[in-house]
Amino acid sequence: MSGIEVVESEQKIPEAIESEQKKLVALSLCCLFGLIGIHGIHRLYVGKYATAALMFLTFGGLFIWMGIDLIRILTGGFKDKKKRTLISGNSSLFTKIVTGLMIIFSLIVPITFILGFAIGFFVPMYEGYMSAANGY
């Protein structure tokens, strides 16, 4: 086997499967800023600038898109710009409780808004109908 050299090919190191961004930070940003009506900050955090702008302009898809992102972050389905999963990280019981409360409040606000709108819209119509039916 003279004249033949065996050249070992360079093995590429696989890219990191996990992102540098933390799941709890994305969840907190989604809840906290979504609660006050500024949607898409969690998408800015993971580098998704275009969808962050769309989310901001559509009020979180009328809170539906925000709810979907909340579920995806909690279940681990939310990825960064490079399609990597977010780091779970170690968090204390206090941070878990605070995050849970933020999730609850961020879901209560849109539900209250929708119910308030429905009551404010339909009750006057019903009262007007009843007064017309009774001859008032």
Side-chain angles (χ1 to χ4, degrees):
M1 291 194 209
S2 63
I4 299 176
E5 292 182 28
V6 178
V7 179
E8 292 183 25
S9 64
E10 295 180 22
Q11 294 180 353
K12 292 185 179 181
I13 299 172
E15 291 186 27
I17 296 172
E18 287 189 334
S19 174
E20 306 88 40
Q21 286 84 17
K22 295 184 180 182
K23 184 189 294 188
L24 190 60
V25 174
L27 185 64
S28 299
L29 290 172
C30 183
C31 293
L32 185 63
F33 285 99
L35 183 63
I36 60 174
I38 303 171
H39 301 280
I41 301 298
H42 63 288
R43 287 183 169 265
L44 284 175
Y45 173 68
V46 297
K48 297 179 176 181
Y49 304 115
T51 56
L54 284 172
M55 194 170 199
F56 177 75
L57 293 173
T58 62
F59 299 105
L62 296 176
F63 296 101
I64 296 170
W65 193 359
M66 185 190 92
I68 292 170
D69 275 359
L70 276 174
I71 293 168
R72 290 180 64 212
I73 292 170
L74 286 171
T75 59
F78 192 76
K79 312 243 185 245
D80 70 357
K81 185 177 183 177
K82 297 179 181 177
K83 308 283 189 230
R84 299 177 298 182
T85 57
L86 304 180
I87 298 172
S88 295
N90 296 332
S91 35
S92 66
L93 180 62
F94 177 75
T95 55
K96 290 178 182 178
I97 291 172
V98 169
T99 305
L101 289 173
M102 285 193 315
I103 292 169
I104 291 168
F105 286 124
S106 66
L107 294 175
I108 287 174
V109 168
I111 291 170
T112 306
F113 175 76
I114 291 168
L115 288 176
F117 176 76
I119 290 170
F121 183 74
F122 291 115
V123 169
M125 286 178 41
Y126 177 74
E127 289 174 355
Y129 171 76
M130 291 305 292
S131 62
N134 292 331
Y136 295 115

